[in-house]
Amino acid sequence: MLSIVELDFGTPRSRSAQPVALTIDGREVSVPAGTSVLRAASEAGIAIPRLCATELLEAFGSCRLCLVEIEGRKGYPASCTTPVEAGMKVTTQSAQLQKIRRGVMELYLSDHASGDEALPTEMRRMIEAVGVREVRYGFDGANHRQAVRDESNPYFRFDPAACIVCSRCVRACDEQQGTLALTIEGRGFDSRVVASQDEGFMQSECVSCGACVQACPTTALTEKSLLAQGPAQSSTVTTCAYCGVGCSFRAEMRGEELVRMVPNKDGHANHGHSCVKGRFAIGYATHADRILKPMIRARIGDAWREVSWQEAIAHTASEFRRIQAQHGRDSIGGITSSRCTNEETYLVQKLVRAGFGNNNVDTCARVCHSPTGYGLKQTLGESAGTQDFDSVMQADVIFVIGANPTDAHPVFASQMKRRLRQGAKLIVADPRRIDLVRTPHVQADFHLCLRPGTNVALLTSLAHVIVGEGLVAEEFVRARCETDSFAKWRAFAAEPRHSPEAMESVTGVPAADVRAAARLYATGGNAAIYYGLGVTEHSQGSTAVMAIANLAMATANIGREGVGVNPLRGQNNVQGSCDMGSFPHEFPGYRHVGDAAVRASFEQAWGVALQAEPGLRIPNMFEAALDGEFRGLYIEGEDIVQSDPNTQHVTAALMAMECVVVQDLFLNETAKFAHVFLPGSTFLEKDGTFINAERRISRVRRVMRPKSGHADWEITQLLSNAMGYPMEYAHPSAIMDEIARLTPTFRGVDYAKLDRLGSIQWPCNEDAPEGTPTMHVHEFVRGKGRFMLTEYVPSTEKVNAKYPLILTTGRILSQYNVGAQTRRTENSRWHGEDRLEIHPQDAEDRGITDDDWVGIESRAGQTVLRATISARMPPGVVYTTFHFPFSGANVITTDNSDWATNCPEYKVTAVQITRVTQPSDWQQRYRAFSDRQHALLGEAGANAG
Amino acid sequence: MTMQQHDAAAALVKMANDIADYFRSEPQRELAVEGIANHIARYWEPRMRKKILAYQAEHGGEGLNELARAAIARLAQRQGPSA
């Protein structure tokens, strides 16, 4: 149900280019072939009453309200299921039609509890539209008005008394979400909506995406926030702050109070769909844990003291300048985050480069997709994915490797599943049997269940088959790629040691499956690769990315719709934070700091001399801190203690520093080691832009004032000014204007154009004024595509008798990254703790049963989690998530990292598992330390002044 | 050398070896050495480069694989006697 009424054309838009002319109520109308009469009328401004139709779903034809008269046809066809025809003459209003519609509506009303009168439902509008004033049938007959409500879901309720069984919710679950959790049980009068096997929403397979709630034309499915707060007074389009899909939402507001988030039908990334995080998990924004006043302290064992913004900023600037005076210009740095807007990350890197006078700036993409930046730049010439999300609808073969879209990128996963249900083939390469391998109406053609750490071996063996069986797209390669690098790569890939048969003992994947999958990828039509952190977070992450690009180039699966190399970014602004020059070796637009011409352009614009040498990466900062060479750090929006590997190494480095400044919403794990806390703002409290996984720049719009008094970009600006480097931006749009002036791929971007177009995929410049949905169409960004050799180098993290299992880590649908946001919402009802998933045989060998506490020991450390026995794990591999700090998942991950970028090898840690009865030593120390830090926070107010 | 400095050197040695491992399959050794040296020059902060050069000079490249040693020698050459 929509409380702010949006125009809905009733049925989906036809993509046909063939126009069809017809007459509706005497008006000449022309629409694309395949358009329904209902939509044709709606586009012409003629409203036909309907209840079961919405443009988000295929026409269904059940409610019988949208009947029309068509000249030359018998009866009263449903306009939603009747496609237009040339010369058709349609009448939408007549006495007879009015009589039929009124009769239908009266029947609905005779068995319908009207629900909350204050909510402007579609049902109410239709009652008005058909002019029902009384119900001739009365209300005393058999009815469902006493049906029991299902209040089990924390975010919405189901009231069957208000349900008209129009099936919109069921169809939304099928068509939009693809979970098929809802169904109509029974027939005729007994028919009713049930979740799964009538288990109630919370216990069912429902993933709480909210599609059913949005689709419902009555109050049967309604958000609890809407019931509690009443209808919104206004709505503003903004962009979700969770994953890299970057869904567009309308934030519905009452004054400065958020009523709910509604997915935007016009959103280019999500087309009106959403997931449980973006749609519902917003409670953190107003959570009591938020810190709203700046705080400082001399040592991490001291109590915090609340201070004014002026004092906090002056203190920070003074400390940074003192450290630089004592230990050199390079002794401080900054870390920005993919959770920040582009404008914020741009300012942080500018502060570091121009204000601090060094290049010690990095971002959390260091620990996720930095290999994507490196690998795609080397091969294709640009550090970004090649397609838009809609491209998947043209794919014939979808190859998912090291990604779990149904959990980590749920809205795009729904689109992918839609294409798979239409018949596209699916190859999944993953150690785990992820949901995509077998989910309703989707089954992978191949599940290449490889051993963790062997991606490169698998990808190179796929290349071996393509080269060896004559599947190379010779003409494309000749025209588009480097001759020398291709010849070298072809000879390399053809070596017998790379054959699937030779690699089977390494990867564990049957050679026949590898050969068949390679043939399918190379010859199955449009083939698209989608990958995630299961590719990048390895010691050979960059090599694997280059191996993927090699496959796409060799088979000509790049440069058009339906194909390509598609990195699925974890956080909302991973792409943007990288684009904005957050890496220590690159200015915005991925240009090396050693490039004199580029550096000169920034020096001229910023009015200072800039360093020509790369700065420290995040892990280098830790090493330098332990060496005493790095003593001050400004961290905006990132929690390195929880998210970076080898926690004890990270905390030792932070404790070696003299001034750690954390700018965040909460006292996160890193803030417990900080000396200055600057309260940040949520995405609802500021203006800016995010860039999603498809290079799509979308606006973030402020719908309430910053609760701490300043938006994050303003805080960075205050700090810069206090440090003596002036910044005078009046609004984030001015920051974007500067980005556009200095970055060729953003030259055509400004807020006015974003407002006009809704979103823009970069590059956006003179050559592509409205953006670039598909890259590398005529030539690669670097000119000729470059093939790279991809030798498999086994991880040094090996199993042995002491550590016989491999631990791999990942995400789950209901929680997000370090959980700082989602743990402070009702989402924890689905996932209240991190669990260790273990294969039944491995569990039995160790006497472990479901829910047992198990100790996990690696070469780096120990922690304790509860066990979940799961047949989706292969023997020898265990898995956990890292959403809860007490879990200590990164206490056990190691310092191993990608050779090119130092992206940590989260996906391969040798461990042993044993049954235990108490938390690990680290967990006990953590709990005591954390409790102490919260106590010190509690004293902050009392120490104010 | 303190224990802490030793650990820092060990981390740099591992990083250099990892880079060299990638370039191992390059059939032309000269290109491999140049590739490793360029990668270190392009992505390592100057203090890190200085440390690995010093480590190679002081410890004869102990723990570094052959290609990494050659690449670091190449970097030393590029920087000249003052390095």
PDB file of all heavy atoms in Angstrom, chain A residues 159-184:
ATOM      1  N   ASP A 159      -3.250  -8.751   8.051  1.00  0.00           N
ATOM      2  CA  ASP A 159      -4.605  -8.760   8.591  1.00  0.00           C
ATOM      3  C   ASP A 159      -5.517  -9.411   7.557  1.00  0.00           C
ATOM      4  O   ASP A 159      -5.995  -8.746   6.622  1.00  0.00           O
ATOM      5  CB  ASP A 159      -5.058  -7.320   8.867  1.00  0.00           C
ATOM      6  CG  ASP A 159      -6.464  -7.262   9.443  1.00  0.00           C
ATOM      7  OD1 ASP A 159      -7.043  -8.358   9.684  1.00  0.00           O
ATOM      8  OD2 ASP A 159      -6.975  -6.157   9.644  1.00  0.00           O
ATOM      9  N   PRO A 160      -5.784 -10.710   7.685  1.00  0.00           N
ATOM     10  CA  PRO A 160      -6.568 -11.405   6.653  1.00  0.00           C
ATOM     11  C   PRO A 160      -7.987 -10.865   6.521  1.00  0.00           C
ATOM     12  O   PRO A 160      -8.626 -11.026   5.476  1.00  0.00           O
ATOM     13  CB  PRO A 160      -6.558 -12.868   7.101  1.00  0.00           C
ATOM     14  CG  PRO A 160      -6.084 -12.875   8.503  1.00  0.00           C
ATOM     15  CD  PRO A 160      -5.349 -11.606   8.755  1.00  0.00           C
ATOM     16  N   ALA A 161      -8.482 -10.191   7.566  1.00  0.00           N
ATOM     17  CA  ALA A 161      -9.834  -9.637   7.478  1.00  0.00           C
ATOM     18  C   ALA A 161      -9.918  -8.537   6.422  1.00  0.00           C
ATOM     19  O   ALA A 161     -10.977  -8.284   5.849  1.00  0.00           O
ATOM     20  CB  ALA A 161     -10.264  -9.093   8.833  1.00  0.00           C
ATOM     21  N   ALA A 162      -8.798  -7.884   6.171  1.00  0.00           N
ATOM     22  CA  ALA A 162      -8.784  -6.799   5.185  1.00  0.00           C
ATOM     23  C   ALA A 162      -8.337  -7.291   3.806  1.00  0.00           C
ATOM     24  O   ALA A 162      -8.257  -6.515   2.854  1.00  0.00           O
ATOM     25  CB  ALA A 162      -7.854  -5.687   5.651  1.00  0.00           C
ATOM     26  N   CYS A 163      -8.061  -8.584   3.700  1.00  0.00           N
ATOM     27  CA  CYS A 163      -7.530  -9.139   2.445  1.00  0.00           C
ATOM     28  C   CYS A 163      -8.663  -9.408   1.452  1.00  0.00           C
ATOM     29  O   CYS A 163      -9.697  -9.961   1.824  1.00  0.00           O
ATOM     30  CB  CYS A 163      -6.776 -10.432   2.757  1.00  0.00           C
ATOM     31  SG  CYS A 163      -6.113 -11.253   1.298  1.00  0.00           S
ATOM     32  N   ILE A 164      -8.454  -9.034   0.202  1.00  0.00           N
ATOM     33  CA  ILE A 164      -9.461  -9.306  -0.833  1.00  0.00           C
ATOM     34  C   ILE A 164      -8.989 -10.420  -1.761  1.00  0.00           C
ATOM     35  O   ILE A 164      -9.564 -10.659  -2.821  1.00  0.00           O
ATOM     36  CB  ILE A 164      -9.798  -8.035  -1.642  1.00  0.00           C
ATOM     37  CG1 ILE A 164      -8.528  -7.462  -2.290  1.00  0.00           C
ATOM     38  CG2 ILE A 164     -10.485  -7.002  -0.751  1.00  0.00           C
ATOM     39  CD1 ILE A 164      -8.805  -6.348  -3.291  1.00  0.00           C
ATOM     40  N   VAL A 165      -7.877 -11.081  -1.411  1.00  0.00           N
ATOM     41  CA  VAL A 165      -7.333 -12.220  -2.156  1.00  0.00           C
ATOM     42  C   VAL A 165      -7.148 -11.856  -3.636  1.00  0.00           C
ATOM     43  O   VAL A 165      -7.539 -12.598  -4.534  1.00  0.00           O
ATOM     44  CB  VAL A 165      -8.216 -13.484  -1.992  1.00  0.00           C
ATOM     45  CG1 VAL A 165      -7.409 -14.742  -2.332  1.00  0.00           C
ATOM     46  CG2 VAL A 165      -8.754 -13.606  -0.583  1.00  0.00           C
ATOM     47  N   CYS A 166      -6.543 -10.706  -3.855  1.00  0.00           N
ATOM     48  CA  CYS A 166      -6.291 -10.265  -5.230  1.00  0.00           C
ATOM     49  C   CYS A 166      -5.014 -10.880  -5.779  1.00  0.00           C
ATOM     50  O   CYS A 166      -4.711 -10.730  -6.966  1.00  0.00           O
ATOM     51  CB  CYS A 166      -6.181  -8.740  -5.283  1.00  0.00           C
ATOM     52  SG  CYS A 166      -4.762  -8.081  -4.379  1.00  0.00           S
ATOM     53  N   SER A 167      -4.235 -11.525  -4.892  1.00  0.00           N
ATOM     54  CA  SER A 167      -2.993 -12.216  -5.272  1.00  0.00           C
ATOM     55  C   SER A 167      -1.835 -11.273  -5.609  1.00  0.00           C
ATOM     56  O   SER A 167      -0.811 -11.733  -6.097  1.00  0.00           O
ATOM     57  CB  SER A 167      -3.218 -13.178  -6.442  1.00  0.00           C
ATOM     58  OG  SER A 167      -4.059 -14.223  -6.072  1.00  0.00           O
ATOM     59  N   ARG A 168      -2.013 -10.000  -5.387  1.00  0.00           N
ATOM     60  CA  ARG A 168      -0.875  -9.107  -5.688  1.00  0.00           C
ATOM     61  C   ARG A 168       0.335  -9.453  -4.828  1.00  0.00           C
ATOM     62  O   ARG A 168       1.468  -9.435  -5.297  1.00  0.00           O
ATOM     63  CB  ARG A 168      -1.284  -7.646  -5.506  1.00  0.00           C
ATOM     64  CG  ARG A 168      -1.892  -7.082  -6.774  1.00  0.00           C
ATOM     65  CD  ARG A 168      -2.563  -5.738  -6.592  1.00  0.00           C
ATOM     66  NE  ARG A 168      -1.643  -4.638  -6.292  1.00  0.00           N
ATOM     67  CZ  ARG A 168      -1.956  -3.346  -6.477  1.00  0.00           C
ATOM     68  NH1 ARG A 168      -3.148  -3.013  -6.982  1.00  0.00           N
ATOM     69  NH2 ARG A 168      -1.111  -2.403  -6.177  1.00  0.00           N
ATOM     70  N   CYS A 169       0.099  -9.780  -3.556  1.00  0.00           N
ATOM     71  CA  CYS A 169       1.228 -10.120  -2.678  1.00  0.00           C
ATOM     72  C   CYS A 169       1.904 -11.406  -3.148  1.00  0.00           C
ATOM     73  O   CYS A 169       3.140 -11.492  -3.169  1.00  0.00           O
ATOM     74  CB  CYS A 169       0.751 -10.248  -1.231  1.00  0.00           C
ATOM     75  SG  CYS A 169      -0.600 -11.425  -1.001  1.00  0.00           S
ATOM     76  N   VAL A 170       1.101 -12.374  -3.514  1.00  0.00           N
ATOM     77  CA  VAL A 170       1.657 -13.656  -3.965  1.00  0.00           C
ATOM     78  C   VAL A 170       2.464 -13.453  -5.238  1.00  0.00           C
ATOM     79  O   VAL A 170       3.582 -13.971  -5.389  1.00  0.00           O
ATOM     80  CB  VAL A 170       0.516 -14.675  -4.217  1.00  0.00           C
ATOM     81  CG1 VAL A 170       1.076 -15.981  -4.772  1.00  0.00           C
ATOM     82  CG2 VAL A 170      -0.265 -14.919  -2.937  1.00  0.00           C
ATOM     83  N   ARG A 171       1.929 -12.662  -6.134  1.00  0.00           N
ATOM     84  CA  ARG A 171       2.626 -12.414  -7.405  1.00  0.00           C
ATOM     85  C   ARG A 171       3.882 -11.577  -7.180  1.00  0.00           C
ATOM     86  O   ARG A 171       4.905 -11.783  -7.835  1.00  0.00           O
ATOM     87  CB  ARG A 171       1.681 -11.722  -8.383  1.00  0.00           C
ATOM     88  CG  ARG A 171       0.575 -12.677  -8.884  1.00  0.00           C
ATOM     89  CD  ARG A 171      -0.721 -11.940  -9.162  1.00  0.00           C
ATOM     90  NE  ARG A 171      -0.558 -10.847 -10.095  1.00  0.00           N
ATOM     91  CZ  ARG A 171      -1.283  -9.727 -10.105  1.00  0.00           C
ATOM     92  NH1 ARG A 171      -2.239  -9.562  -9.203  1.00  0.00           N
ATOM     93  NH2 ARG A 171      -1.074  -8.800 -11.000  1.00  0.00           N
ATOM     94  N   ALA A 172       3.813 -10.638  -6.246  1.00  0.00           N
ATOM     95  CA  ALA A 172       5.022  -9.842  -5.951  1.00  0.00           C
ATOM     96  C   ALA A 172       6.121 -10.749  -5.419  1.00  0.00           C
ATOM     97  O   ALA A 172       7.301 -10.606  -5.776  1.00  0.00           O
ATOM     98  CB  ALA A 172       4.690  -8.746  -4.947  1.00  0.00           C
ATOM     99  N   CYS A 173       5.753 -11.675  -4.556  1.00  0.00           N
ATOM    100  CA  CYS A 173       6.741 -12.603  -4.002  1.00  0.00           C
ATOM    101  C   CYS A 173       7.315 -13.491  -5.107  1.00  0.00           C
ATOM    102  O   CYS A 173       8.500 -13.817  -5.101  1.00  0.00           O
ATOM    103  CB  CYS A 173       6.097 -13.457  -2.909  1.00  0.00           C
ATOM    104  SG  CYS A 173       7.282 -14.352  -1.908  1.00  0.00           S
ATOM    105  N   ASP A 174       6.466 -13.865  -6.053  1.00  0.00           N
ATOM    106  CA  ASP A 174       6.929 -14.712  -7.162  1.00  0.00           C
ATOM    107  C   ASP A 174       7.751 -13.901  -8.166  1.00  0.00           C
ATOM    108  O   ASP A 174       8.888 -14.235  -8.463  1.00  0.00           O
ATOM    109  CB  ASP A 174       5.733 -15.309  -7.918  1.00  0.00           C
ATOM    110  CG  ASP A 174       4.942 -16.284  -7.080  1.00  0.00           C
ATOM    111  OD1 ASP A 174       5.321 -16.488  -5.910  1.00  0.00           O
ATOM    112  OD2 ASP A 174       3.936 -16.821  -7.579  1.00  0.00           O
ATOM    113  N   GLU A 175       7.123 -12.856  -8.692  1.00  0.00           N
ATOM    114  CA  GLU A 175       7.711 -12.160  -9.845  1.00  0.00           C
ATOM    115  C   GLU A 175       8.828 -11.210  -9.462  1.00  0.00           C
ATOM    116  O   GLU A 175       9.854 -11.150 -10.131  1.00  0.00           O
ATOM    117  CB  GLU A 175       6.622 -11.356 -10.582  1.00  0.00           C
ATOM    118  CG  GLU A 175       5.559 -12.221 -11.228  1.00  0.00           C
ATOM    119  CD  GLU A 175       4.448 -11.369 -11.836  1.00  0.00           C
ATOM    120  OE1 GLU A 175       4.716 -10.217 -12.236  1.00  0.00           O
ATOM    121  OE2 GLU A 175       3.303 -11.858 -11.894  1.00  0.00           O
ATOM    122  N   GLN A 176       8.600 -10.450  -8.395  1.00  0.00           N
ATOM    123  CA  GLN A 176       9.603  -9.445  -8.022  1.00  0.00           C
ATOM    124  C   GLN A 176      10.720 -10.051  -7.199  1.00  0.00           C
ATOM    125  O   GLN A 176      11.893  -9.889  -7.487  1.00  0.00           O
ATOM    126  CB  GLN A 176       8.951  -8.331  -7.203  1.00  0.00           C
ATOM    127  CG  GLN A 176       8.326  -7.244  -8.034  1.00  0.00           C
ATOM    128  CD  GLN A 176       7.961  -6.082  -7.145  1.00  0.00           C
ATOM    129  OE1 GLN A 176       7.028  -6.183  -6.352  1.00  0.00           O
ATOM    130  NE2 GLN A 176       8.683  -5.001  -7.261  1.00  0.00           N
ATOM    131  N   GLN A 177      10.359 -10.724  -6.136  1.00  0.00           N
ATOM    132  CA  GLN A 177      11.361 -11.225  -5.200  1.00  0.00           C
ATOM    133  C   GLN A 177      11.901 -12.587  -5.638  1.00  0.00           C
ATOM    134  O   GLN A 177      13.077 -12.873  -5.489  1.00  0.00           O
ATOM    135  CB  GLN A 177      10.772 -11.307  -3.784  1.00  0.00           C
ATOM    136  CG  GLN A 177      11.637 -12.036  -2.770  1.00  0.00           C
ATOM    137  CD  GLN A 177      13.042 -11.473  -2.666  1.00  0.00           C
ATOM    138  OE1 GLN A 177      13.270 -10.289  -2.892  1.00  0.00           O
ATOM    139  NE2 GLN A 177      14.004 -12.339  -2.348  1.00  0.00           N
ATOM    140  N   GLY A 178      11.013 -13.431  -6.164  1.00  0.00           N
ATOM    141  CA  GLY A 178      11.469 -14.755  -6.606  1.00  0.00           C
ATOM    142  C   GLY A 178      11.668 -15.735  -5.477  1.00  0.00           C
ATOM    143  O   GLY A 178      12.340 -16.753  -5.643  1.00  0.00           O
ATOM    144  N   THR A 179      11.080 -15.468  -4.320  1.00  0.00           N
ATOM    145  CA  THR A 179      11.202 -16.420  -3.203  1.00  0.00           C
ATOM    146  C   THR A 179      10.048 -17.412  -3.194  1.00  0.00           C
ATOM    147  O   THR A 179      10.188 -18.539  -2.747  1.00  0.00           O
ATOM    148  CB  THR A 179      11.259 -15.654  -1.858  1.00  0.00           C
ATOM    149  OG1 THR A 179      12.462 -14.882  -1.844  1.00  0.00           O
ATOM    150  CG2 THR A 179      11.263 -16.591  -0.671  1.00  0.00           C
ATOM    151  N   LEU A 180       8.908 -17.003  -3.701  1.00  0.00           N
ATOM    152  CA  LEU A 180       7.709 -17.836  -3.780  1.00  0.00           C
ATOM    153  C   LEU A 180       7.304 -18.355  -2.403  1.00  0.00           C
ATOM    154  O   LEU A 180       6.968 -19.518  -2.224  1.00  0.00           O
ATOM    155  CB  LEU A 180       7.920 -19.000  -4.771  1.00  0.00           C
ATOM    156  CG  LEU A 180       8.007 -18.593  -6.239  1.00  0.00           C
ATOM    157  CD1 LEU A 180       9.419 -18.199  -6.641  1.00  0.00           C
ATOM    158  CD2 LEU A 180       7.538 -19.722  -7.150  1.00  0.00           C
ATOM    159  N   ALA A 181       7.369 -17.452  -1.433  1.00  0.00           N
ATOM    160  CA  ALA A 181       7.044 -17.841  -0.058  1.00  0.00           C
ATOM    161  C   ALA A 181       5.541 -17.792   0.202  1.00  0.00           C
ATOM    162  O   ALA A 181       5.054 -18.416   1.130  1.00  0.00           O
ATOM    163  CB  ALA A 181       7.758 -16.923   0.926  1.00  0.00           C
ATOM    164  N   LEU A 182       4.809 -17.024  -0.613  1.00  0.00           N
ATOM    165  CA  LEU A 182       3.374 -16.849  -0.371  1.00  0.00           C
ATOM    166  C   LEU A 182       2.572 -17.663  -1.370  1.00  0.00           C
ATOM    167  O   LEU A 182       3.006 -17.893  -2.500  1.00  0.00           O
ATOM    168  CB  LEU A 182       2.987 -15.369  -0.475  1.00  0.00           C
ATOM    169  CG  LEU A 182       3.739 -14.400   0.447  1.00  0.00           C
ATOM    170  CD1 LEU A 182       3.214 -12.974   0.256  1.00  0.00           C
ATOM    171  CD2 LEU A 182       3.623 -14.827   1.889  1.00  0.00           C
ATOM    172  N   THR A 183       1.404 -18.050  -0.934  1.00  0.00           N
ATOM    173  CA  THR A 183       0.534 -18.790  -1.842  1.00  0.00           C
ATOM    174  C   THR A 183      -0.924 -18.542  -1.446  1.00  0.00           C
ATOM    175  O   THR A 183      -1.198 -18.020  -0.376  1.00  0.00           O
ATOM    176  CB  THR A 183       0.863 -20.300  -1.798  1.00  0.00           C
ATOM    177  OG1 THR A 183       0.181 -20.951  -2.854  1.00  0.00           O
ATOM    178  CG2 THR A 183       0.439 -20.934  -0.487  1.00  0.00           C
ATOM    179  N   ILE A 184      -1.832 -18.897  -2.347  1.00  0.00           N
ATOM    180  CA  ILE A 184      -3.255 -18.861  -2.019  1.00  0.00           C
ATOM    181  C   ILE A 184      -3.662 -20.279  -1.664  1.00  0.00           C
ATOM    182  O   ILE A 184      -3.559 -21.189  -2.489  1.00  0.00           O
ATOM    183  CB  ILE A 184      -4.115 -18.361  -3.198  1.00  0.00           C
ATOM    184  CG1 ILE A 184      -3.664 -16.961  -3.635  1.00  0.00           C
ATOM    185  CG2 ILE A 184      -5.593 -18.390  -2.831  1.00  0.00           C
ATOM    186  CD1 ILE A 184      -3.953 -15.847  -2.663  1.00  0.00           C
TER     187      ILE A 184
END
